[in-house]
Each structure stands twice: as C-alpha cells, then as structure tokens.
Amino acid sequence: REAAAGVSRLEFDFDNAFWLDGAPRSPAELHELCRAALAPAEAHVLRTPPSLIDEWESAEGRPSRTYRFSYSSSTLALSRQRALDMNRRVCEAVAAAGAGRPRTPSVESLAEQAAAAALRESSASSSASSPARSETPHERS
C-alpha cells in the first residue's frame, strides 16, 4: 500500500558552513553520508545533494565551504523543529566522517548562549533596581 501524500509539502533550506581538514567530498558523497545519518523513514527528506554556495579561506589559509541542505517531504510530517533536528544529525555525521567541522554554532550552543545572556541581564537589572542607600542631609557629618 502506498503512503498517503500531502497536497503541499513543507520545505526547509539550511546553509551549513564547514572547515575542511582535507580534500572536499563530492556532492554525491556528501549526499550519501548525510542520508545515512537519518533514520530509514527520513532519508528521502534529503532529496538532492547539498549545493555548494560559498568557498572561503581564512587569513591563516584554512579552507571553508558552505552548503545548502534542502529538506522536504510529501509523506512525512516535517515541522521546522524536526527539520532542524535532522540538520543537526546531518552536520554531526559530516563532522564524524572527517568531511568537515561545522563552522557555525549549533542550535543547542546558541540556546545556551541566549540563556546565559538572559541570566546576566536579569542579574544586572535586579542589582540596578535594588534601592541604593543614599545619604540624606541629616546623615552627613
């Protein structure tokens, strides 16, 4: 029996930048590596090989590549959060295979940074809102 298909599929594109430590992989090799990182029921979501959208080299001569990964499905409920989770697993697989290390921070890392900034901000605002003891004319000597 054929799986039910949606009328309009959701599509998510994520640009992922990687530091390269060796020879870059071909788009077909990356595609196979990335699909293997997903569950069997999810592998079809990454329909096409990632497309190279940028090549860059740091001042120290370290090469980097940015690829666009496109996720879509007409048979799998694909929310933004689920696509982000798949993209995280794909980036981890690329790093684990030595095909590149992510150049950009992970979603979890960004969330931790945001929580730390919020904590600092709330600490700063609570100390600023605490009434400071001020001298009154009667207390001066």
PDB file of all heavy atoms in Angstrom, residues 88-108:
ATOM      1  N   ARG A  88      20.844  18.924  12.311  1.00  0.00           N
ATOM      2  CA  ARG A  88      21.862  18.743  13.356  1.00  0.00           C
ATOM      3  C   ARG A  88      22.540  17.387  13.192  1.00  0.00           C
ATOM      4  O   ARG A  88      23.766  17.284  13.216  1.00  0.00           O
ATOM      5  CB  ARG A  88      21.238  18.852  14.745  1.00  0.00           C
ATOM      6  CG  ARG A  88      22.234  18.604  15.890  1.00  0.00           C
ATOM      7  CD  ARG A  88      21.534  18.515  17.248  1.00  0.00           C
ATOM      8  NE  ARG A  88      20.444  17.551  17.276  1.00  0.00           N
ATOM      9  CZ  ARG A  88      20.610  16.225  17.386  1.00  0.00           C
ATOM     10  NH1 ARG A  88      21.801  15.700  17.471  1.00  0.00           N
ATOM     11  NH2 ARG A  88      19.560  15.418  17.410  1.00  0.00           N
ATOM     12  N   ARG A  89      21.739  16.331  12.980  1.00  0.00           N
ATOM     13  CA  ARG A  89      22.303  14.989  12.813  1.00  0.00           C
ATOM     14  C   ARG A  89      23.158  14.896  11.557  1.00  0.00           C
ATOM     15  O   ARG A  89      24.201  14.240  11.541  1.00  0.00           O
ATOM     16  CB  ARG A  89      21.193  13.941  12.799  1.00  0.00           C
ATOM     17  CG  ARG A  89      20.594  13.747  14.199  1.00  0.00           C
ATOM     18  CD  ARG A  89      19.572  12.646  14.222  1.00  0.00           C
ATOM     19  NE  ARG A  89      18.294  13.195  13.767  1.00  0.00           N
ATOM     20  CZ  ARG A  89      17.402  12.520  13.061  1.00  0.00           C
ATOM     21  NH1 ARG A  89      17.617  11.277  12.709  1.00  0.00           N
ATOM     22  NH2 ARG A  89      16.270  13.089  12.706  1.00  0.00           N
ATOM     23  N   VAL A  90      22.728  15.565  10.495  1.00  0.00           N
ATOM     24  CA  VAL A  90      23.491  15.578   9.250  1.00  0.00           C
ATOM     25  C   VAL A  90      24.844  16.260   9.478  1.00  0.00           C
ATOM     26  O   VAL A  90      25.890  15.743   9.067  1.00  0.00           O
ATOM     27  CB  VAL A  90      22.670  16.276   8.138  1.00  0.00           C
ATOM     28  CG1 VAL A  90      23.544  16.757   7.001  1.00  0.00           C
ATOM     29  CG2 VAL A  90      21.573  15.350   7.638  1.00  0.00           C
ATOM     30  N   CYS A  91      24.853  17.403  10.151  1.00  0.00           N
ATOM     31  CA  CYS A  91      26.111  18.119  10.415  1.00  0.00           C
ATOM     32  C   CYS A  91      27.035  17.291  11.307  1.00  0.00           C
ATOM     33  O   CYS A  91      28.255  17.271  11.092  1.00  0.00           O
ATOM     34  CB  CYS A  91      25.826  19.479  11.048  1.00  0.00           C
ATOM     35  SG  CYS A  91      25.102  20.659   9.898  1.00  0.00           S
ATOM     36  N   GLU A  92      26.467  16.610  12.303  1.00  0.00           N
ATOM     37  CA  GLU A  92      27.277  15.743  13.166  1.00  0.00           C
ATOM     38  C   GLU A  92      27.892  14.603  12.358  1.00  0.00           C
ATOM     39  O   GLU A  92      29.043  14.231  12.583  1.00  0.00           O
ATOM     40  CB  GLU A  92      26.430  15.184  14.307  1.00  0.00           C
ATOM     41  CG  GLU A  92      26.076  16.218  15.352  1.00  0.00           C
ATOM     42  CD  GLU A  92      25.052  15.727  16.375  1.00  0.00           C
ATOM     43  OE1 GLU A  92      24.519  14.594  16.233  1.00  0.00           O
ATOM     44  OE2 GLU A  92      24.782  16.481  17.318  1.00  0.00           O
ATOM     45  N   ALA A  93      27.135  14.051  11.410  1.00  0.00           N
ATOM     46  CA  ALA A  93      27.653  12.958  10.575  1.00  0.00           C
ATOM     47  C   ALA A  93      28.777  13.449   9.675  1.00  0.00           C
ATOM     48  O   ALA A  93      29.778  12.742   9.480  1.00  0.00           O
ATOM     49  CB  ALA A  93      26.524  12.354   9.744  1.00  0.00           C
ATOM     50  N   VAL A  94      28.642  14.639   9.129  1.00  0.00           N
ATOM     51  CA  VAL A  94      29.694  15.211   8.283  1.00  0.00           C
ATOM     52  C   VAL A  94      30.973  15.373   9.108  1.00  0.00           C
ATOM     53  O   VAL A  94      32.063  15.002   8.675  1.00  0.00           O
ATOM     54  CB  VAL A  94      29.243  16.561   7.671  1.00  0.00           C
ATOM     55  CG1 VAL A  94      30.406  17.297   7.028  1.00  0.00           C
ATOM     56  CG2 VAL A  94      28.125  16.338   6.664  1.00  0.00           C
ATOM     57  N   ALA A  95      30.824  15.895  10.332  1.00  0.00           N
ATOM     58  CA  ALA A  95      31.986  16.078  11.212  1.00  0.00           C
ATOM     59  C   ALA A  95      32.596  14.736  11.606  1.00  0.00           C
ATOM     60  O   ALA A  95      33.818  14.575  11.582  1.00  0.00           O
ATOM     61  CB  ALA A  95      31.583  16.872  12.451  1.00  0.00           C
ATOM     62  N   ALA A  96      31.763  13.764  11.972  1.00  0.00           N
ATOM     63  CA  ALA A  96      32.249  12.452  12.405  1.00  0.00           C
ATOM     64  C   ALA A  96      32.986  11.723  11.284  1.00  0.00           C
ATOM     65  O   ALA A  96      33.931  10.968  11.548  1.00  0.00           O
ATOM     66  CB  ALA A  96      31.091  11.599  12.912  1.00  0.00           C
ATOM     67  N   ALA A  97      32.598  11.953  10.049  1.00  0.00           N
ATOM     68  CA  ALA A  97      33.236  11.290   8.909  1.00  0.00           C
ATOM     69  C   ALA A  97      34.503  12.013   8.455  1.00  0.00           C
ATOM     70  O   ALA A  97      35.160  11.578   7.519  1.00  0.00           O
ATOM     71  CB  ALA A  97      32.243  11.192   7.746  1.00  0.00           C
ATOM     72  N   GLY A  98      34.818  13.115   9.118  1.00  0.00           N
ATOM     73  CA  GLY A  98      36.009  13.869   8.733  1.00  0.00           C
ATOM     74  C   GLY A  98      35.821  14.681   7.470  1.00  0.00           C
ATOM     75  O   GLY A  98      36.792  15.119   6.863  1.00  0.00           O
ATOM     76  N   ALA A  99      34.587  14.885   7.060  1.00  0.00           N
ATOM     77  CA  ALA A  99      34.315  15.636   5.836  1.00  0.00           C
ATOM     78  C   ALA A  99      34.279  17.139   6.084  1.00  0.00           C
ATOM     79  O   ALA A  99      34.176  17.914   5.157  1.00  0.00           O
ATOM     80  CB  ALA A  99      32.994  15.177   5.226  1.00  0.00           C
ATOM     81  N   GLY A 100      34.350  17.554   7.327  1.00  0.00           N
ATOM     82  CA  GLY A 100      34.351  18.970   7.681  1.00  0.00           C
ATOM     83  C   GLY A 100      33.815  19.159   9.078  1.00  0.00           C
ATOM     84  O   GLY A 100      33.036  18.356   9.561  1.00  0.00           O
ATOM     85  N   ARG A 101      34.279  20.218   9.728  1.00  0.00           N
ATOM     86  CA  ARG A 101      33.769  20.537  11.058  1.00  0.00           C
ATOM     87  C   ARG A 101      32.880  21.767  10.956  1.00  0.00           C
ATOM     88  O   ARG A 101      33.262  22.748  10.300  1.00  0.00           O
ATOM     89  CB  ARG A 101      34.915  20.798  12.029  1.00  0.00           C
ATOM     90  CG  ARG A 101      35.609  19.504  12.435  1.00  0.00           C
ATOM     91  CD  ARG A 101      36.617  19.779  13.477  1.00  0.00           C
ATOM     92  NE  ARG A 101      37.475  20.868  12.975  1.00  0.00           N
ATOM     93  CZ  ARG A 101      38.771  20.943  13.172  1.00  0.00           C
ATOM     94  NH1 ARG A 101      39.376  20.059  13.876  1.00  0.00           N
ATOM     95  NH2 ARG A 101      39.477  21.933  12.682  1.00  0.00           N
ATOM     96  N   PRO A 102      31.714  21.737  11.588  1.00  0.00           N
ATOM     97  CA  PRO A 102      30.813  22.891  11.486  1.00  0.00           C
ATOM     98  C   PRO A 102      31.512  24.180  11.909  1.00  0.00           C
ATOM     99  O   PRO A 102      32.204  24.219  12.921  1.00  0.00           O
ATOM    100  CB  PRO A 102      29.673  22.538  12.438  1.00  0.00           C
ATOM    101  CG  PRO A 102      29.680  21.040  12.473  1.00  0.00           C
ATOM    102  CD  PRO A 102      31.135  20.655  12.360  1.00  0.00           C
ATOM    103  N   ARG A 103      31.351  25.201  11.093  1.00  0.00           N
ATOM    104  CA  ARG A 103      31.963  26.499  11.353  1.00  0.00           C
ATOM    105  C   ARG A 103      31.042  27.382  12.179  1.00  0.00           C
ATOM    106  O   ARG A 103      31.481  28.337  12.798  1.00  0.00           O
ATOM    107  CB  ARG A 103      32.265  27.169  10.010  1.00  0.00           C
ATOM    108  CG  ARG A 103      33.257  28.289  10.108  1.00  0.00           C
ATOM    109  CD  ARG A 103      33.591  28.831   8.752  1.00  0.00           C
ATOM    110  NE  ARG A 103      32.626  29.860   8.400  1.00  0.00           N
ATOM    111  CZ  ARG A 103      32.472  30.346   7.181  1.00  0.00           C
ATOM    112  NH1 ARG A 103      33.191  29.887   6.193  1.00  0.00           N
ATOM    113  NH2 ARG A 103      31.593  31.266   6.946  1.00  0.00           N
ATOM    114  N   THR A 104      29.771  27.061  12.184  1.00  0.00           N
ATOM    115  CA  THR A 104      28.790  27.865  12.894  1.00  0.00           C
ATOM    116  C   THR A 104      28.339  27.127  14.150  1.00  0.00           C
ATOM    117  O   THR A 104      28.354  25.903  14.199  1.00  0.00           O
ATOM    118  CB  THR A 104      27.569  28.143  12.002  1.00  0.00           C
ATOM    119  OG1 THR A 104      27.098  26.902  11.489  1.00  0.00           O
ATOM    120  CG2 THR A 104      27.926  29.058  10.856  1.00  0.00           C
ATOM    121  N   PRO A 105      27.923  27.860  15.189  1.00  0.00           N
ATOM    122  CA  PRO A 105      27.498  27.193  16.423  1.00  0.00           C
ATOM    123  C   PRO A 105      26.198  26.417  16.230  1.00  0.00           C
ATOM    124  O   PRO A 105      25.371  26.761  15.396  1.00  0.00           O
ATOM    125  CB  PRO A 105      27.301  28.344  17.408  1.00  0.00           C
ATOM    126  CG  PRO A 105      27.234  29.578  16.595  1.00  0.00           C
ATOM    127  CD  PRO A 105      27.886  29.296  15.270  1.00  0.00           C
ATOM    128  N   SER A 106      26.029  25.367  17.031  1.00  0.00           N
ATOM    129  CA  SER A 106      24.820  24.555  16.963  1.00  0.00           C
ATOM    130  C   SER A 106      23.649  25.287  17.595  1.00  0.00           C
ATOM    131  O   SER A 106      23.824  26.268  18.323  1.00  0.00           O
ATOM    132  CB  SER A 106      25.037  23.229  17.687  1.00  0.00           C
ATOM    133  OG  SER A 106      25.182  23.471  19.073  1.00  0.00           O
ATOM    134  N   VAL A 107      22.467  24.784  17.349  1.00  0.00           N
ATOM    135  CA  VAL A 107      21.255  25.351  17.946  1.00  0.00           C
ATOM    136  C   VAL A 107      21.355  25.285  19.462  1.00  0.00           C
ATOM    137  O   VAL A 107      21.015  26.230  20.171  1.00  0.00           O
ATOM    138  CB  VAL A 107      20.006  24.591  17.436  1.00  0.00           C
ATOM    139  CG1 VAL A 107      18.761  25.040  18.175  1.00  0.00           C
ATOM    140  CG2 VAL A 107      19.843  24.792  15.960  1.00  0.00           C
ATOM    141  N   GLU A 108      21.856  24.153  19.983  1.00  0.00           N
ATOM    142  CA  GLU A 108      21.988  23.991  21.428  1.00  0.00           C
ATOM    143  C   GLU A 108      22.957  25.017  21.992  1.00  0.00           C
ATOM    144  O   GLU A 108      22.723  25.614  23.027  1.00  0.00           O
ATOM    145  CB  GLU A 108      22.456  22.575  21.782  1.00  0.00           C
ATOM    146  CG  GLU A 108      21.449  21.497  21.484  1.00  0.00           C
ATOM    147  CD  GLU A 108      21.439  21.044  20.028  1.00  0.00           C
ATOM    148  OE1 GLU A 108      22.311  21.475  19.226  1.00  0.00           O
ATOM    149  OE2 GLU A 108      20.535  20.273  19.673  1.00  0.00           O
TER     150      GLU A 108
END
